[in-house]
């Protein structure tokens, strides 16, 4: 289930995740970015089996909080499930983006996407159902890669970097 929201992130209902993506309804989501002590950003390559945006580079972890789940708890849960990173520290909430992106398979991401940052040296242990590869890169180098090969990155990742959250 995902939490349907209005443009102010107020909950207005619940819906099965796939249905929300079929109808393109606005729902709550989060994107976690990991930075190490050198300021390098962790990127993950989404697994080939993902139902949208497969094999694309993106931020460390992204998902949806479950009904009645605290945003911090949801981020920590998904970090563990997706890339094997366990943390007890709170993540820094740096803002949000609202976006709508239709995909070739007929699904639409329409998300109120909370952006959070974790600073850690812990190395990921990838869940192969979620991610096929990872790397650390300098943020300016990532931006240059996006300019040269935008088709290799997820829509939300490009949008968040374009919005200037990581300058």
């Amino acid at each position: 289930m995902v939490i349907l929201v209005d443009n102010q992130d107020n909950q207005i209902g619940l819906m099965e995740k796939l249905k929300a993506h079929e109808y393109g309804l606005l729902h709550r989501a989060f994107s976690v970015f990991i930075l190490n002590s050198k300021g390098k950003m962790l990127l993950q390559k989404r697994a080939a089996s993902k139902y949208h945006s497969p094999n694309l580079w993106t931020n460390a972890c992204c998902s949806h909080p479950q009904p009645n789940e605290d945003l911090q708890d949801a981020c920590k849960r998904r970090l563990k499930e997706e890339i094997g990173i366990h943390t007890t520290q709170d993540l820094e909430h740096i803002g949000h983006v609202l976006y709508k992106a239709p995909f070739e398979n007929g699904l639409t991401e329409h998300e109120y996407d909370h952006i959070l940052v974790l600073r850690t040296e812990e190395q990921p242990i990838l869940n192969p159902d979620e991610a096929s590869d990872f790397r650390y890169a300098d943020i300016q180098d990532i931006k240059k890669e996006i300019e040269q090969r935008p088709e290799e990155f997820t829509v939300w990742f490009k949008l968040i970097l374009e919005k200037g959250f990581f300058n």
Side-chain angles (χ1 to χ4, degrees):
M1 298 295 279
V2 294
I3 301 166
L4 302 178
V5 296
D6 63 17
N7 286 347
Q8 303 300 311
D9 196 36
N10 297 305
Q11 182 173 335
I12 58 172
L14 299 172
M15 185 173 279
E16 194 272 325
K17 182 172 87 168
L18 190 55
K19 281 217 180 298
H21 290 122
E22 287 171 356
Y23 297 130
L25 298 178
L26 183 61
H27 56 279
R28 188 174 296 149
F30 59 85
S31 291
V32 176
F33 288 77
I34 291 180
L35 301 174
N36 67 16
S37 60
K38 296 176 183 161
K40 293 191 183 273
M41 182 180 285
L42 175 70
L43 300 179
Q44 70 143 284
K45 189 172 192 178
R46 288 170 59 88
S49 60
K50 297 299 265 184
Y51 67 88
H52 73 74
S53 309
N55 297 313
L56 297 182
W57 288 101
T58 196
N59 50 290
C61 161
C62 46
S63 190
H64 310 90
Q66 296 174 352
N68 301 314
E69 184 180 34
D70 175 77
L71 185 61
Q72 289 285 333
D73 292 340
C75 292
K76 292 172 188 177
R77 172 181 55 81
R78 284 304 291 169
L79 278 167
K80 210 179 323 178
E81 292 170 357
E82 237 176 87
I83 59 172
I85 290 185
H86 304 262
T87 186
T88 57
Q89 66 177 300
D90 279 345
L91 287 73
E92 179 186 0
H93 190 282
I94 62 169
H96 73 273
V97 293
L98 213 87
Y99 75 94
K100 189 172 190 175
F103 296 104
E104 292 174 6
N105 63 4
L107 300 177
T108 300
E109 278 285 20
H110 191 190
E111 295 187 334
Y112 189 105
D113 193 12
H114 293 268
I115 304 161
L116 297 99
V117 176
L118 175 66
R119 297 177 194 282
T120 184
E121 300 302 310
E122 189 174 346
Q123 292 296 304
I125 301 167
L126 302 179
N127 174 343
D129 293 332
E130 300 291 340
S132 62
D133 199 3
F134 79 92
R135 63 187 168 105
Y136 279 90
D138 179 79
I139 294 167
Q140 296 311 315
D141 291 341
I142 296 167
K143 290 179 179 182
K144 287 177 192 163
E145 282 184 57
I146 290 171
E147 284 177 20
Q148 296 166 353
R149 297 181 311 281
E151 70 282 356
E152 294 182 11
F153 296 86
T154 62
V155 171
W156 60 91
F157 181 68
K158 293 184 289 191
L159 176 66
I160 290 167
L161 290 185
E162 285 170 15
K163 294 278 187 184
F165 285 99
F166 298 94
N167 284 331

